[in-house]
Amino acid sequence: MIDRLSRIKDRYDEINNLLMDPDISRDISRLTELSKELKGLEPVVLLFAEYNQTLESIEELKEMSHDSDPEIVEMAKMELEELKPLIPQIEDKLHVLLIPKDPNDEKNVLVEIRGAAGGSEANIFAGDLFRMYSKYAETKNWKIEISNLEDSGAGGFSKVEFSVSGDSVYAQLKYESGAHRVQRVPATESQGRVHTSTATVLVLPEVEDVEAELNMGDVRIDTYRSSGAGGQSVNTTDSAVRVLHVPTGLVVTCQDGKSQHSNKATALRILKTRLYDKIVQEREEKEGIERRSKIGTGDRSDKIRTYNYPQNRVTDHRIGYSILQLDRVMEGKLDPIIEALIGEETKRILEGKS
């Protein structure tokens, strides 16, 4: 572990020196890449420095414990008792930080929420989930951009697709894919009976151009008149775009941008991400590799969480975690659930179960 930490520290110092190079500062792409790598290494380097400083302090105190002055000896022994337990604690934290990261963790994501079982109530719940994630994004200073939104007559959405960009978005949202179940009394229920409905969430890491190539000869692009929110162009110009990948049948619709050009660019970006995910999924299924998070497969059919309104409870079924703060969760206070999922995943990795 120490050798690995030392190599990380050397790389950290190397990047700091590179960032002072005028040629690097003029290369925005390289500058961004190095700055992101530096930020990822920093927590490990700072904790490693604390570890070394603690070890040095322990050695100094051991020497002081042999001093001729009884008061110095007593003081040294007291401080030693305080410092020695810190070493295994810091080592445990370092082991966690050294766990190989998901290469997608720093990426932006594409999210799709659909109303599923439960009719209009499912669509209303899909809208509630979109609001929940929007509120959560606000707390993280992430940016949300809607690409397609299909309103439901009774409220909410039958489908909403959007991108989320910012720091470590996929690391936080990758556990959200699956079926979300709601238990509550619908507004239309006259006898106060609790109904169960579901909405599905799909979270995909956005792919870089170097990861996936798109043969435009395989793509058919159609334009049509927008029907949802999108500014003055809605219902006046053919700004909405539908993109079909002929070999796979994948279809992407984008109508929320202000122009046909922006909608086309967004649709192709989404298509590329979906196509790459399809290829990866098929390969992993063929090779028997478990997908992404070991907490769950990330498949849309997995029932991952229940939102019980009468009991103000949210339960994540994958880890058996419940929290009696549904009202706060729906206002975007998702951190306790996500931290519990990350903690369980880390525990499984350390125990060799993943």
Side-chain angles (χ1 to χ4, degrees):
M1 183 181 78
I2 300 301
D3 288 343
R4 188 176 171 194
L5 288 166
S6 297
R7 290 195 298 271
I8 290 173
K9 174 65 167 60
D10 291 342
R11 176 58 179 165
Y12 182 82
D13 292 338
E14 179 186 5
I15 295 173
N16 268 318
N17 290 329
L18 286 170
L19 290 174
M20 290 187 285
D21 186 332
D23 291 335
I24 296 291
S25 64
R26 287 190 288 269
D27 186 341
I28 301 300
S29 177
R30 180 66 172 149
L31 181 67
T32 302
E33 179 186 346
L34 288 171
S35 298
K36 186 176 289 188
E37 185 180 355
L38 186 76
K39 184 178 179 181
L41 296 177
E42 191 169 53
V44 181
V45 172
L46 292 177
L47 191 58
F48 185 40
E50 181 185 342
Y51 179 73
N52 287 328
Q53 181 58 54
T54 305
L55 286 175
E56 289 175 12
S57 298
I58 287 174
E59 290 303 314
E60 291 173 3
L61 289 168
K62 284 181 179 178
E63 290 181 14
M64 291 171 61
S65 65
H66 298 295
D67 197 274
S68 57
D69 187 331
E71 290 186 5
I72 291 179
V73 171
E74 183 63 25
M75 181 194 71
K77 287 182 177 179
M78 290 176 62
E79 290 191 24
L80 270 173
E81 289 179 4
E82 293 178 3
L83 287 183
K84 279 184 177 180
L86 294 181
I87 294 300
Q89 294 175 19
I90 298 175
E91 287 176 344
D92 286 344
K93 291 179 182 178
L94 285 169
H95 279 298
V96 171
L97 288 177
L98 288 176
I99 293 173
K101 286 190 175 182
D102 185 330
N104 292 321
D105 276 353
E106 298 301 317
K107 291 183 178 179
N108 300 329
V109 302
L110 301 176
V111 184
E112 177 197 279
I113 304 174
R114 288 176 180 261
S120 59
E121 174 64 12
N123 293 335
I124 292 171
F125 181 51
D128 293 338
L129 289 176
F130 173 67
R131 182 175 178 274
M132 177 185 77
Y133 290 126
S134 298
K135 291 279 188 179
Y136 183 61
E138 285 180 18
T139 69
K140 300 293 182 182
N141 293 316
W142 295 340
K143 179 184 176 183
I144 282 186
E145 183 179 346
I146 298 173
S147 55
N148 187 41
L149 189 153
E150 297 178 11
D151 288 309
S152 168
F157 313 113
S158 57
K159 181 169 72 171
V160 56
E161 296 169 291
F162 56 98
S163 62
V164 187
S165 56
D167 292 333
S168 303
V169 179
Y170 186 70
Q172 304 294 311
L173 293 182
K174 63 183 175 181
Y175 301 103
E176 296 304 298
S177 288
H180 295 241
R181 182 174 69 173
V182 62
Q183 295 174 326
R184 64 185 176 189
V185 179
T188 55
E189 171 57 54
S190 59
Q191 298 182 29
R193 291 175 297 187
V194 174
H195 287 225
T196 298
S197 305
T198 59
T200 61
V201 176
L202 180 66
V203 178
L204 299 177
E206 194 170 332
V207 299
E208 308 291 340
D209 287 336
V210 295
E211 293 177 295
E213 292 184 7
L214 188 62
N215 183 350
M216 293 304 295
D218 293 334
V219 176
R220 193 179 80 199
I221 301 175
D222 298 313
T223 59
Y224 61 99
R225 195 151 294 180
S226 298
S227 59
Q232 294 178 349
S233 63
V234 173
N235 296 322
T236 60
T237 61
D238 292 340
S239 60
V241 172
R242 183 184 294 108
V243 177
L244 167 67
H245 185 251
V246 177
T248 62
L250 287 173
V251 177
V252 173
T253 301
C254 186
Q255 62 172 333
D256 212 60
K258 290 183 171 62
S259 69
Q260 185 184 119
H261 178 75
S262 64
N263 281 329
K264 179 181 176 182
T266 300
L268 289 173
R269 176 167 55 89
I270 294 171
L271 177 62
K272 189 177 293 186
T273 294
R274 288 184 177 275
L275 183 60
Y276 182 75
D277 180 72
K278 180 178 176 63
I279 293 170
V280 171
Q281 184 177 0
E282 288 174 350
R283 185 183 72 234
E284 290 177 344
E285 288 175 353
K286 182 179 179 181
E287 297 175 359
I289 300 172
E290 191 172 359
R291 296 194 74 198
R292 299 193 193 101
S293 161
K294 305 301 187 298
I295 292 293
T297 63
D299 289 337
R300 198 193 296 267
S301 60
D302 288 347
K303 184 186 73 176
I304 64 167
R305 195 175 296 152
T306 294
Y307 303 73
N308 186 299
Y309 275 73
Q311 298 177 16
N312 196 38
R313 185 187 73 237
V314 181
T315 299
D316 195 287
H317 303 290
R318 295 163 294 181
I319 59 174
Y321 176 85
S322 290
I323 182 171
L324 297 174
Q325 296 179 5
L326 182 144
D327 51 342
R328 289 173 54 81
V329 169
M330 298 311 293
E331 287 298 316
K333 305 298 189 297
L334 272 168
D335 278 332
I337 297 174
I338 290 175
E339 287 169 4
L341 287 161
I342 293 172
E344 178 63 22
E345 180 68 10
T346 300
K347 177 185 173 185
R348 293 184 186 189
I349 292 173
L350 289 172
E351 291 177 348
K353 295 179 180 178
S354 295

